[in-house]
Amino acid sequence: MRINKILPVALAATLCSGSVFAQEFTQEQIDAIVAKAVDKALAERQAKMDAAINKKADVIVEPQTTAQEPDKAIPYGVKFSGYARYGAHFQSGDQKYVGVDGSYNGASAIGRLGNEGNGGEFQLSKAFRGDNGAIWDVNVMFDHWGDEVNLKKAYAGVTNLLASNPNAYFWAGRDFHQRPQQGINDYFWMNHDGQGAGVKNFDIGGVQFDVAAVAAVESCSPTVLEDEANPSRITCTGGSNVGDKGNYAVTSKIHGMKVGPLDLEIYANYGFDSKAIESEDRQRAWQGGVVLSHTNDHGVNKVIARYSDNSDNSVFNKTDDLTAVYASFEGSYKFSQQTQVDYLLAFHDYDNSANKADNRRNYGAIIRPMHWWNDVHSTWLEAGYQRVDYDKGGDNHGWKLTLSQNISIAMGLEFRPMLRFYVTGGEVDNKRTARVNGTDDNTLDSFNVGAMWEAWF
């Protein structure tokens, strides 16, 4: 380094001119003095760099989109996050994606590995700190799961507002709301995405309480008008609109509770309609849910139970005289750092006393063993079975098997990005569908090959 060449010469000159005793220093003493001066200069330079970095981040509470985590730094600038998956999926059989007719519990109720389409959700967030110490954030998210790009989030929130409840997070706007999800079958067993206001993580005696009032977002299906006075002749561009649809919900959740070694969550929701809905179509609905989970060194097991009256997984969408029960057991077990297995057993009962033609029960089972050969390469195998048993007309059933070879950023199920190369086979026998339609037995064979990337960040 240049400083190593300059300092010895300058220091030696100073010593010689400053005292006649300089000539009596040994070479080892001179080297030690030079080394000390160099270390001091480098330390001062590093201190200036650290001070510049520290000006960009204050160690305070950073609001999160799902929960507030203390002792985080507000990010400098705008934070970019999201989830996405895109790739090619080649169909050589009867079904591009293996599915049983009449299935209700999940877009991939028979298993999602090698059996899901493309899309993504992309979010920008900015956090601020007020002079009073309150921490604010503003979040905007767009998604792309079809032909349209939709605005899914546009909300603001604040935490560290109440001295008695510093972790309480108050929010208002449009947000993903109360959508607990099961990963292996991609099922939101509750879903109340919409716009409204509420509070999360309000502490009541050591128990966390969430409550909100939300409205379903109005949406539209584009149609072409015959009236040429409209230049575009299109009623709308599709997807989400900006106003309320007229369906509302009051949602609540109690969490952070312990029952012995088990974690307990309780959900309770109530749905109603405004006068934007015609009087004869206005209805009410309610639902309750319980989650019991247990975590240990080898993994986690979870039991979910949900009961809905006049609705299924959302009290926004109401059906008179409908009762729906959903129950599942899911978990993950780690045999070692390199080998683990995920599994799910699910039951869904759909019972409409006013229209019994579609009454049915769903039974599903999925198992996914996974092995990491190293911190980059892994092999996954997923097997799924599903039966949809109708009260009238018989049943539909099917199976799916997927083998996937993966390349990921690190070892473990939670790490993304990931490149996935897979082959999927399966067979579906929709006997009940064929009988109702008056056709021959509808057996569908599938064999698909694909490659995709998946990431959350």
Side-chain angles (χ1 to χ4, degrees):
M1 294 178 59
R2 183 177 178 82
I3 190 171
N4 290 336
K5 296 178 180 179
I6 294 175
L7 280 175
V9 176
L11 185 61
T14 301
L15 290 170
C16 290
S17 61
S19 174
V20 295
F21 298 106
Q23 296 178 355
E24 298 179 5
F25 280 89
T26 65
Q27 186 62 43
E28 289 78 5
Q29 290 173 316
I30 293 174
D31 290 344
I33 294 171
V34 171
K36 185 176 181 180
V38 171
D39 290 342
K40 181 180 179 182
L42 292 176
E44 290 175 351
R45 179 175 179 272
Q46 185 63 46
K48 291 179 180 179
M49 293 175 62
D50 292 340
I53 293 172
N54 290 335
K55 289 182 180 179
K56 296 182 180 181
D58 297 321
V59 180
I60 48 178
V61 178
E62 177 192 2
Q64 303 295 309
T65 56
T66 55
Q68 285 62 61
E69 299 179 18
D71 301 326
K72 284 293 195 75
I74 285 184
Y76 179 69
V78 176
K79 180 181 178 181
F80 178 56
S81 60
Y83 169 80
R85 58 176 189 259
Y86 289 88
H89 186 90
F90 179 80
Q91 174 186 351
S92 65
D94 298 320
Q95 284 187 310
K96 185 174 183 179
Y97 302 106
V98 184
V100 178
D101 279 357
S103 169
Y104 262 72
N105 46 308
S108 302
I110 205 168
R112 70 184 294 182
L113 184 64
N115 198 39
E116 54 190 357
N118 297 327
E121 301 159 349
F122 309 97
Q123 176 169 296
L124 297 173
S125 303
K126 175 61 180 172
F128 310 86
R129 180 178 61 178
D131 293 338
N132 60 354
I135 311 304
W136 292 79
D137 66 341
V138 176
N139 305 273
V140 176
M141 173 185 277
F142 296 89
D143 78 356
H144 178 227
W145 294 108
D147 293 338
E148 300 293 333
V149 175
N150 289 299
L151 177 67
K152 298 299 291 185
K153 293 185 181 183
Y155 75 93
V158 58
T159 189
N160 204 33
L161 183 66
L162 303 177
S164 61
N165 229 305
N167 291 324
Y169 180 74
F170 299 87
W171 65 274
R174 179 182 296 190
D175 190 17
F176 285 166
H177 183 66
Q178 203 194 62
R179 43 158 41 201
Q181 180 188 18
Q182 295 181 293
I184 198 168
N185 62 339
D186 197 16
Y187 180 47
F188 297 101
W189 56 273
M190 282 183 177
N191 192 343
H192 296 96
D193 292 352
Q195 48 201 25
V199 60
K200 299 178 182 179
N201 298 337
F202 195 90
D203 189 278
I204 303 177
V207 174
Q208 306 297 308
F209 183 61
D210 302 352
V211 64
V214 290
V217 176
E218 187 177 5
S219 61
C220 65
S221 298
T223 58
V224 178
L225 299 175
E226 295 181 0
D227 182 10
E228 296 183 0
N230 181 351
S232 68
R233 301 183 63 204
I234 300 176
T235 56
C236 64
T237 59
S240 299
N241 208 321
V242 295
D244 299 349
K245 186 179 180 181
N247 307 125
Y248 294 83
V250 176
T251 68
S252 65
K253 174 185 175 183
I254 302 174
H255 53 107
M257 295 182 291
K258 283 281 190 180
V259 180
L262 304 178
D263 296 306
L264 173 64
E265 298 177 359
I266 299 176
Y267 296 79
N269 306 314
Y270 175 73
F272 57 98
D273 299 328
S274 72
K275 289 188 177 181
I277 307 297
E278 295 294 333
S279 58
E280 61 272 15
D281 295 327
R282 291 178 208 152
Q283 297 183 45
R284 299 181 181 183
W286 67 271
Q287 63 183 187
V290 176
V291 179
L292 284 169
S293 58
H294 178 255
T295 304
N296 56 38
D297 293 338
H298 291 285
V300 60
N301 286 302
K302 183 182 295 185
V303 174
I304 297 172
R306 187 207 69 217
Y307 177 87
S308 303
D309 184 76
N310 281 356
S311 65
D312 189 30
N313 70 326
S314 175
V315 295
F316 283 153
N317 307 317
K318 307 172 189 69
T319 301
D320 196 24
D321 295 321
L322 170 66
T323 59
V325 175
Y326 179 75
S328 68
F329 171 76
E330 64 176 316
S332 178
Y333 186 85
K334 279 190 176 183
F335 296 96
S336 67
Q337 182 66 25
Q338 292 182 262
T339 305
Q340 73 179 72
V341 60
D342 286 0
Y343 41 85
L344 170 75
L345 295 173
F347 169 78
H348 194 165
D349 181 34
Y350 181 95
D351 187 356
N352 186 347
S353 59
N355 182 9
K356 299 183 178 181
D358 287 333
N359 287 355
R360 56 198 180 274
R361 287 165 297 279
N362 283 240
Y363 305 90
I366 304 170
I367 185 169
R368 183 195 293 175
M370 298 165 282
H371 181 75
W372 281 261
W373 304 101
N374 50 44
D375 59 356
V376 174
H377 300 284
S378 64
T379 303
W380 298 1
L381 179 67
E382 182 182 88
Y385 173 82
Q386 189 176 27
R387 179 187 177 195
V388 182
D389 183 16
Y390 284 84
D391 287 352
K392 297 181 180 180
D395 65 17
N396 301 328
H397 60 271
W399 61 269
K400 179 194 78 79
L401 188 66
T402 297
L403 180 65
S404 177
Q405 187 65 32
N406 316 301
I407 301 173
S408 59
I409 193 171
M411 182 184 297
L413 181 62
E414 66 275 17
F415 291 108
R416 300 291 189 277
M418 173 180 285
L419 304 181
R420 187 177 296 144
F421 307 91
Y422 61 86
V423 55
T424 295
E427 182 181 270
V428 171
D429 190 356
N430 290 320
K431 291 182 179 179
R432 194 267 184 183
T433 303
R435 289 169 185 164
V436 171
N437 294 338
T439 60
D440 294 334
D441 191 20
N442 189 13
T443 301
L444 305 173
D445 295 314
S446 297
F447 186 80
N448 306 314
V449 179
M452 68 162 42
W453 72 278
E454 183 183 38
W456 48 69
F457 48 91

